[in-house]
Amino acid sequence: MAADFGFFPSNENGAYFISYNSEDSDRVGAIARDLHAQGLPMWYDYGLEYGAEWERQIAAHIRSCKAVIMFITKGLFLRETRSYVYKEYRMAKMCDKKVYVVMMDKISGKDVPEDLWGWWIDLTDLHCIMEPTAQRILRAVGFTSRTYTPQSFTEEMGAEDLWEKGCDYYCEGNYVEAAECYRIAAEDGHPDAQYCLGLCYRDGEGVPQNYAEAVRYCRMAAEQGLEEAKETLKKLYAK
């Protein structure tokens, strides 16, 4: 099963296609969430099983994407699943799509098997981003982030204000922005924000439904003494 980066893929034409090895999903997901928070429209293979439907969906989204952002790790060359990333690279070239290569590790030729030297040379000839951060990627692809970002939030607003802003967004039905506000405040230790984000994961509002994440955030809030979180946690454990 493909990864869950904590947000729904964008299905709009012109989104950026995220290419990665599934075993690196934790590292790639952290950067993808930062990019998502900055407003970069992205598609990744959330919910897709490998097989014929996977290839059809991948081909369709590469065909309609603005460009491919490909995350390369040293471990990628040691894993059989690298063939999926290689297929995505070949599809991108067939569709004449620009490929931005994000080097997650310092890799030299000795780390690359001989049968992949040709691909490695191709990759290093592309636009390589050597510092794997959201800001460097945004700069490389020429994307201007939206006016509010997690960074500007934390500069201008405290956790309490962020939680209240998230509640305002939620009441307006703007669940994606609500979840983002909750996430930033939750990381700052705000129990109500942790609880609200847990509910978002429980109900699939603004983020993909994920009971493990729902339990994690509700547990954080419960450990800080929030009674509602304790009750919700009991119900989540009972599922």
Side-chain angles (χ1 to χ4, degrees):
M1 174 66 74
D4 175 359
F5 289 162
F7 60 89
F8 288 119
S10 170
N11 284 309
E12 65 182 74
N13 285 334
Y16 288 84
F17 182 98
I18 301 300
S19 177
Y20 67 101
N21 185 60
S22 59
E23 293 181 41
D24 300 318
S25 58
D26 287 345
R27 296 175 66 192
V28 174
I31 297 174
R33 284 189 290 276
D34 286 344
L35 292 170
H36 174 70
Q38 297 283 353
L40 187 73
M42 294 171 288
W43 187 90
Y44 69 101
D45 56 349
Y46 168 72
L48 281 184
E49 296 280 0
Y50 297 127
E53 178 61 17
W54 180 89
E55 292 206 8
R56 190 188 71 78
Q57 290 273 7
I58 292 296
H61 284 284
I62 287 178
R63 193 177 298 116
S64 66
C65 76
K66 183 176 181 65
V68 173
I69 300 175
M70 181 170 287
F71 291 84
I72 301 297
T73 64
K74 186 180 291 188
L76 169 67
F77 296 103
L78 305 176
R79 296 163 183 154
E80 293 183 4
T81 49
R82 66 181 179 237
S83 62
Y84 296 110
V85 178
Y86 182 56
K87 280 184 180 179
E88 291 166 356
Y89 169 77
R90 294 191 63 186
M91 289 179 187
K93 301 309 287 182
M94 286 176 59
C95 295
D96 198 27
K97 297 295 182 179
K98 188 173 181 65
V99 178
Y100 295 91
V101 177
V102 182
M103 292 294 183
M104 300 288 283
D105 298 315
K106 187 174 182 179
I107 304 172
S108 65
K110 66 181 181 181
D111 299 312
V112 181
E114 290 184 8
D115 62 317
L116 293 175
W117 279 1
W119 183 33
W120 174 245
I121 292 169
D122 285 349
L123 290 177
T124 54
D125 283 342
L126 297 173
H127 188 132
C128 290
I129 302 166
M130 307 306 292
E131 184 181 337
T133 64
Q135 289 301 323
R136 291 301 295 269
I137 294 170
L138 290 172
R139 193 176 307 129
V141 303
F143 182 81
T144 302
S145 64
R146 57 197 180 192
T147 56
Y148 64 90
T149 65
Q151 288 77 13
S152 63
F153 270 149
T154 52
E155 289 170 5
E156 299 167 9
M157 305 172 70
E160 181 73 15
D161 291 331
L162 276 167
W163 171 64
E164 291 179 356
K165 186 67 173 176
C167 292
D168 290 340
Y169 277 132
Y170 188 89
C171 291
E172 294 167 2
N174 196 340
Y175 300 131
V176 172
E177 309 303 349
E180 194 58 43
C181 288
Y182 293 150
R183 185 188 306 281
I184 302 166
E187 290 172 356
D188 201 35
H190 194 285
D192 290 298
Q194 292 165 345
Y195 176 55
C196 288
L197 185 57
L199 295 183
C200 287
Y201 274 113
R202 182 195 66 183
D203 300 330
E205 294 180 328
V207 292
Q209 190 174 55
N210 186 321
Y211 284 113
E213 286 295 276
V215 167
R216 184 165 77 92
Y217 281 104
C218 285
R219 186 190 298 123
M220 289 181 187
E223 287 174 351
Q224 295 200 65
L226 198 66
E227 292 300 325
E228 303 99 308
K230 294 177 183 178
E231 292 302 314
T232 299
L233 201 56
K234 292 177 185 176
K235 295 175 183 176
L236 287 169
Y237 282 140
K239 286 187 177 292

